[in-house]
């Protein structure tokens, strides 16, 4: 029953707050660590886009998705 944006927030900002790391994780902001996942489609329009990442940047390095 959540919107796509609410799903993303629950997995990022809300999740970081729940485990007490919201000062360093959970959102793209100056001073926070940022791992990124890039998608072809807009996951705020449909959470199904989350199933098919194009690539991931973790710790500043490109990680290829499993095929």
């Amino acid at each position: 029953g959540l919107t796509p944006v609410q799903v993303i927030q629950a997995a990022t900002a809300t999740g970081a707050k729940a485990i007490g790391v919201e000062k360093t994780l959970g959102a793209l902001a100056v001073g926070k660590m940022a791992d990124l996942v890039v998608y072809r489609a807009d996951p705020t329009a449909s959470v199904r886009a989350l199933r098919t990442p194009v690539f991931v940047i973790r710790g500043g390095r490109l990680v290829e998705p499993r095929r």
Side-chain angles (χ1 to χ4, degrees), residues 6-20 22 25-27:
Q6 289 171 323
V7 170
I8 294 166
Q9 287 173 333
T12 57
T14 304
K17 187 174 182 178
I19 62 171
E22 69 274 14
L25 298 173

Side-chain angles (χ1 to χ4, degrees), residues 34-36 56-63:
D35 293 335
L36 302 173
V56 174
I57 298 173
R58 183 171 185 209
R61 296 189 175 164
L62 181 64
V63 178

Side-chain angles (χ1 to χ4, degrees), residues 29-41:
V30 174
K32 292 189 178 189
M33 293 186 282
D35 293 335
L36 302 173
V37 183
V38 177
Y39 302 95
R40 290 193 199 289

